[in-house]
């Protein structure tokens, strides 16, 4: 997490830095700072809190200088105070650095530097980088820019952990240096001005040309151009990527929150994603039919909401391919002595494509020799660059920290992939394949209807927003949707919310219920309706309040005692998750809104979790 921006050009850097920080704020928003490199040296301005607070300070000071770096923080080491916010400086105040990642050996490095007389001001791991550079540059003379490049390379060799670092030095004005290991860093190529950013959104308002850095790369960014060096300071050739324009409009469309806008966009983002797959399903995921035919095991990996997409798709994969399938939490998989089944297809699901746990799991899968495919929403992201193939969901930028439209697009892609594999391995016949894909194509319309349930969902939220504890129940494909509903609610409302497989409640979770506890039961009129109906009876027998998320078939059959209902369109049983989850997203949204929460930027969270 944390967002980095660097600018060098002919114009004042401060407005570019603030603009970049605003675009990067989704990566962390507990404190922020800038370092502007001008004629009199470095001007550092920092602030606890959001970028808006920093912007006020920066405008008041108007620091002059056409080169600078800036940072928006998600704290790992040290509280989110002004002193701990980046940029951090060396003892002389001539070197400033910003950092995303974790320096794992910072304590021994700090101890050594302190013994050499360096004085530290913050509790962060990052500050060691500034002092390490000071140490390396103490005898520098002559070509200061080259000396800085060498110092960064030497410092990088001494640091372990993960970092994307940008540095400026008073003696090399006009130069921003960047170094990368396991955290994302991208250079932006403009016209007489160049950039460095955690991702392309940092400079997307100014240029569409980007250079994605590899681990070990060092970038020297000047107004006149961008140079990339390897860890031994040998120059490297690089490729310039031209960024695609995002399909979704920037801004909130006049709505109060990005989350609501993104929920309402889903009929379109799902449609675009499905169209992109179905335009040429045989090549959409990049795996040749001959390779698909050999698959004997399927593993899907993700974190948080992306994991819930894999957990839902496990049902589809097994039903449509008859191939053993695992849905794995990336953070657990990477440290487990997992089996290495032959002919495994490993699928990595990530909105950002930068989640550190998922990146680490992907690296492990590659070491195991698995074929890898990524489902990502961000072009050029780390996961898309490491995996053998990538399918991009067509959501445009997802800004709200709580993931919504990325989730349903991931589901659409995974559903199509499960049908593709099923057909390739001969478990599905052509007719069934066609029927399933036709049903998938009709889902955007059903999701459009689900979006229209907002009024009914809001009424329910008005009834329950004062409650402190919520339970979500589902079975089969709707079990992961119960987990997702609970995750959505807890992350933006800070209320206790747990999701369970409905059949499990009698084995323990039922003890959570007391009189009036809202239990949101996913109970469409499908093959397991009777079981869900029983679960509702059981919770009501304990005084809890069942809230049914159902369809017209379930609505007819439900016990009249269940007064609280959201009735969604009828869909084939296996596709119901894409419709049901919309009601749960809206429920979380309205409970949070009625509680006055900061919906798009909930406390303690960040959109992209690039540290372990
Ligand atoms: O960018 P990713 O999809 O890899 O992110 C994974 C999770 O961090 C993410 O889904 C997180 O759980 C969301 N805040 C959920 O709304």
């Amino acid at each position: 997490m944390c967002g980095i921006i660097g600018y060098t050009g002919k114009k004042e850097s401060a407005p570019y830095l603030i603009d970049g920080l605003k675009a990067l704020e989704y990566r962390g928003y507990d404190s922020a700072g800038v370092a502007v490199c001008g004629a009199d040296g470095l001007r550092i301005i920092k602030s606890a809190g959001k970028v808006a607070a920093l912007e006020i300070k920066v405008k008041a000071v108007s620091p002059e200088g056409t080169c600078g770096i800036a940072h928006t923080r998600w704290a790992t080491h040290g509280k989110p105070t002004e002193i701990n916010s980046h940029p951090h400086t060396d003892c002389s105040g001539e070197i400033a650095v910003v950092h995303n990642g974790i320096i794992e050996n910072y304590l021994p490095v700090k101890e050594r530097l302190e013994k050499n007389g360096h004085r530290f001001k913050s509790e962060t791991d990052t500050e060691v980088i500034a002092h390490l550079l000071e140490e390396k540059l103490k005898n520098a003379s002559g070509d200061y820019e080259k000396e800085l490049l060498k110092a960064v390379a030497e410092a990088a060799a001494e640091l372990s952990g993960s970092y994307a670092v940008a540095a400026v030095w008073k003696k090399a004005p006009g130069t921003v240096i960047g170094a990368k290991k396991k955290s994302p860093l991208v250079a932006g190529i403009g016209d007489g001005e160049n950039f460095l950013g955690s991702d392309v959104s940092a400079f997307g308002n100014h240029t569409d040309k980007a250079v994605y850095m590899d681990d070990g790369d060092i970038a020297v960014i000047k107004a006149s151009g961008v140079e990339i060096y390897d860890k031994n300071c040998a120059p490297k050739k690089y490729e310039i990527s031209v960024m695609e324009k995002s399909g979704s409009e920037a801004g909130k469309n006049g709505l109060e929150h990005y989350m609501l806008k993104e929920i309402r966009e889903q009929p379109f983002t799902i449609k675009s994603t499905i169209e992109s797959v179905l335009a040429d399903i045989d090549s959409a995921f990049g795996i040749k039919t001959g390779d698909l035919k050999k698959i004997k095991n399927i593993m899907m990996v993700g974190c948080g909401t992306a994991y819930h997409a894999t957990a839902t798709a496990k049902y589809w994969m097994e039903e449509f391919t008859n191939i053993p399938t695992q849905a794995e939490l990336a953070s657990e998989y990477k440290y487990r002595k997992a089996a290495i089944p032959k002919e495994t297809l490993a699928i990595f699901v990530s909105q950002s494509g930068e989640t550190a746990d998922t990146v680490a799991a992907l690296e492990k899968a590659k070491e195991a020799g698995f074929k890898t495919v990524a489902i990502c929403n961000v072009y050029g992201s780390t996961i898309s660059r490491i995996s053998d193939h990538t399918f991009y969901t067509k959501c445009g930028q997802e800004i709200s920290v709580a993931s919504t439209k990325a989730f349903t697009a991931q589901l659409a892609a995974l559903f199509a992939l499960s049908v593709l594999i099923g057909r390739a391995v001969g478990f599905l016949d052509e007719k069934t394949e066609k029927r399933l894909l036709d049903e998938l194509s009709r889902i955007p319309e059903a999701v459009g209807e689900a979006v229209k349930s907002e009024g009914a969902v809001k009424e329910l939220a008005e009834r329950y927003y004062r409650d402190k504890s919520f339970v979500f129940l589902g079975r089969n494909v709707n079990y992961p949707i119960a987990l997702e509903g609970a995750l959505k609610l807890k992350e933006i409302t800070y209320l206790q919310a747990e999701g369970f497989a409905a059949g499990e409640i009698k084995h323990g979770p039922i003890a959570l219920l007391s009189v009036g506890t809202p239990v949101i039961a996913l109970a469409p009129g499908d093959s397991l309706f009777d079981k869900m109906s029983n679960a509702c009876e059981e919770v009501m027998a304990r005084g809890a309040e069942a809230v049914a998320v159902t369809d017209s078939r379930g609505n007819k059959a439900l016990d009249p005692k269940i007064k609280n209902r959201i009735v969604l369109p009828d869909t084939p049983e296996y596709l119901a998750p894409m419709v049901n989850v919309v009601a749960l997203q809206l429920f979380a949204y309205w409970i949070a809104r009625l509680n006055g929460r900061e919906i798009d930027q909930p406390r303690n969270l960040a959109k992209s979790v690039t540290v372990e």
Side-chain angles (χ1 to χ4, degrees):
M1 5 258 272
C2 301
I4 289 176
I5 160 95
Y7 169 85
T8 180
K10 295 189 186 87
K11 302 197 190 122
E12 288 303 328
S13 60
Y16 282 87
L17 298 175
I18 295 292
D19 186 47
L21 288 185
K22 283 182 184 164
L24 290 170
E25 198 168 20
Y26 73 91
R27 301 178 72 93
Y29 36 80
D30 61 36
S31 54
V34 300
V36 171
C37 199
D40 312 330
L42 301 186
R43 193 75 198 255
I44 315 270
I45 304 164
K46 308 197 211 188
S47 173
K50 302 211 167 153
V51 173
L54 176 72
E55 186 178 16
I56 293 170
K57 278 186 158 183
V58 169
K59 278 194 173 146
V61 176
S62 277
E64 284 181 13
T66 57
C67 171
I69 54 176
H71 186 266
T72 179
R73 181 169 185 244
W74 185 86
T76 61
H77 293 61
K79 294 207 170 74
T81 56
E82 188 169 321
I83 203 113
N84 286 333
S85 52
H86 303 211
H88 290 286
T89 52
D90 64 329
C91 300
S92 69
E94 293 191 353
I95 300 166
V97 299
V98 293
H99 164 224
N100 169 30
I102 295 178
I103 304 298
E104 284 169 359
N105 61 340
Y106 86 101
L107 279 174
V109 177
K110 183 173 175 179
E111 237 170 67
R112 174 163 59 80
L113 289 164
E114 277 176 330
K115 276 193 193 132
N116 288 351
H118 291 265
R119 298 172 319 279
F120 282 75
K121 300 175 277 291
S122 74
E123 303 162 277
T124 67
D125 51 336
T126 302
E127 198 181 341
V128 295
I129 307 171
H131 292 278
L132 204 50
L133 290 177
E134 180 180 27
E135 190 77 2
K136 310 266 173 217
L137 288 166
K138 65 183 174 208
N139 299 319
S141 61
D143 187 342
Y144 288 124
E145 192 191 292
K146 264 215 178 106
E147 295 278 4
L148 181 57
L149 167 66
K150 197 164 131 258
V152 168
E154 285 172 9
E158 284 180 38
L159 300 174
S160 64
S162 58
Y163 50 79
V165 177
V168 286
W169 184 26
K170 180 185 169 185
K171 290 190 175 149
T175 301
V176 176
I177 286 235
K180 168 193 158 40
K181 182 180 161 198
K182 292 188 183 166
S183 293
L185 201 59
V186 191
I189 311 230
D191 184 9
E193 57 187 14
N194 293 302
F195 305 83
L196 196 62
S198 294
D199 63 46
V200 292
S201 68
F203 45 77
N205 288 341
H206 311 291
T207 179
D208 60 356
K209 295 189 193 68
V211 178
Y212 291 96
M213 292 170 63
D214 292 324
D215 279 353
D217 282 357
I218 302 172
V220 176
I221 315 278
K222 293 181 282 185
S224 56
V226 167
E227 294 152 15
I228 305 282
Y229 296 86
D230 71 9
K231 59 179 190 219
N232 303 313
C233 299
K236 272 182 78 174
K237 288 209 171 102
Y238 57 78
E239 256 178 54
I240 299 176
S241 308
V242 179
M243 295 177 292
E244 265 183 51
K245 280 256 169 294
S246 139
S248 92
E249 284 172 44
K252 296 182 201 160
N253 274 359
L255 297 172
E256 204 139 326
H257 300 101
Y258 282 106
M259 183 179 178
L260 188 58
K261 177 193 169 225
E262 290 164 2
I263 292 172
R264 291 187 186 173
E265 274 175 352
Q266 290 177 106
F268 313 103
T269 49
I270 298 171
K271 187 164 187 275
S272 307
T273 301
I274 294 172
E275 281 172 358
S276 164
V277 177
L278 298 189
D280 185 2
I281 187 166
D282 292 329
S283 59
F285 298 94
I287 319 157
K288 294 195 188 97
T289 313
D291 288 331
L292 286 174
K293 280 187 178 149
K294 290 188 208 145
I295 297 172
K296 295 274 177 295
N297 185 62
I298 298 167
M299 177 180 83
M300 292 177 290
V301 185
C303 296
T305 289
Y307 165 72
H308 293 154
T310 69
T312 311
K314 175 179 155 69
Y315 291 86
W316 298 330
M317 291 289 177
E318 293 194 328
E319 182 171 347
F320 302 148
T321 72
N322 198 31
I323 295 172
T325 304
Q326 308 87 51
E328 297 274 3
L329 285 165
S331 54
E332 284 298 311
Y333 174 71
K334 66 182 181 177
Y335 292 120
R336 207 175 77 224
K337 290 207 167 33
I340 306 184
K342 290 215 170 71
E343 303 298 348
T344 292
L345 173 68
I347 302 163
F348 293 82
V349 181
S350 172
Q351 187 284 130
S352 62
E354 299 295 351
T355 301
D357 291 326
T358 312
V359 173
L362 169 55
E363 278 162 351
K364 177 168 167 170
K366 292 204 81 163
E367 270 163 35
F370 297 161
K371 286 221 158 12
T372 56
V373 64
I375 294 181
C376 281
N377 193 44
V378 179
Y379 180 80
S381 54
T382 304
I383 289 171
S384 68
R385 290 187 307 128
I386 302 178
S387 59
D388 298 332
H389 309 285
T390 301
F391 172 77
Y392 289 103
T393 46
K394 301 284 175 211
C395 296
Q397 195 182 1
E398 189 181 64
I399 293 176
S400 172
V401 165
S403 186
T404 54
K405 61 177 177 173
F407 178 67
T408 45
Q410 288 159 359
L411 290 180
L414 288 166
F415 186 88
L417 181 55
S418 65
V419 174
L420 177 71
I421 300 172
R423 179 81 180 110
V425 299
F427 193 67
L428 295 181
D429 59 26
E430 200 181 335
K431 204 169 136 214
T432 313
E433 176 194 28
K434 185 172 176 324
R435 177 177 54 79
L436 292 171
L437 295 178
D438 283 349
E439 285 168 348
L440 178 65
S441 302
R442 286 198 288 277
I443 279 298
E445 207 181 312
V447 169
E449 289 302 309
V451 166
K452 289 187 197 147
S453 71
E454 186 174 345
V457 175
K458 185 174 169 226
E459 273 175 33
L460 273 183
E462 278 161 355
R463 180 180 173 105
Y464 293 115
Y465 77 95
R466 292 182 202 85
D467 279 279
K468 299 285 172 248
S469 163
F470 295 78
V471 169
F472 291 76
L473 300 179
R475 288 192 86 127
N476 199 266
V477 278
N478 283 312
Y479 163 45
I481 301 306
L483 299 179
E484 174 61 8
L487 174 65
K488 234 43 343 149
L489 190 73
K490 68 185 112 184
E491 69 178 332
I492 61 168
T493 65
Y494 321 148
L495 297 168
Q496 192 69 33
E498 302 300 335
F500 300 105
E504 274 296 298
I505 48 161
K506 56 189 177 293
H507 299 294
I510 202 162
L512 284 173
L513 304 182
S514 52
V515 173
T517 306
V519 178
I520 294 86
L522 296 164
D526 60 15
S527 64
L528 289 168
F529 174 78
D530 291 344
K531 306 287 167 204
M532 282 307 300
S533 176
N534 289 347
C536 290
E537 297 293 341
E538 284 163 12
V539 302
M540 289 191 297
R542 270 88 193 165
E545 283 205 25
V547 177
V549 176
T550 186
D551 55 17
S552 72
R553 302 159 299 192
N555 193 33
K556 278 191 211 123
L558 273 170
D559 184 330
K561 282 202 298 286
I562 305 178
K563 297 269 178 291
N564 300 310
R565 300 173 182 202
I566 300 293
V567 184
L568 299 171
D570 294 347
T571 49
E573 183 160 347
Y574 29 79
L575 283 166
M578 294 174 71
V579 173
N580 292 340
V581 76
V582 175
L584 303 192
Q585 295 165 347
L586 287 166
F587 187 66
Y589 173 81
W590 277 104
I591 298 263
R593 186 156 162 177
L594 293 164
N595 277 294
R597 299 295 188 224
E598 285 229 44
I599 294 180
D600 287 332
Q601 295 182 334
R603 71 179 182 199
N604 303 339
L605 298 179
K607 180 79 182 152
S608 178
V609 187
T610 57
V611 292
E612 282 190 35

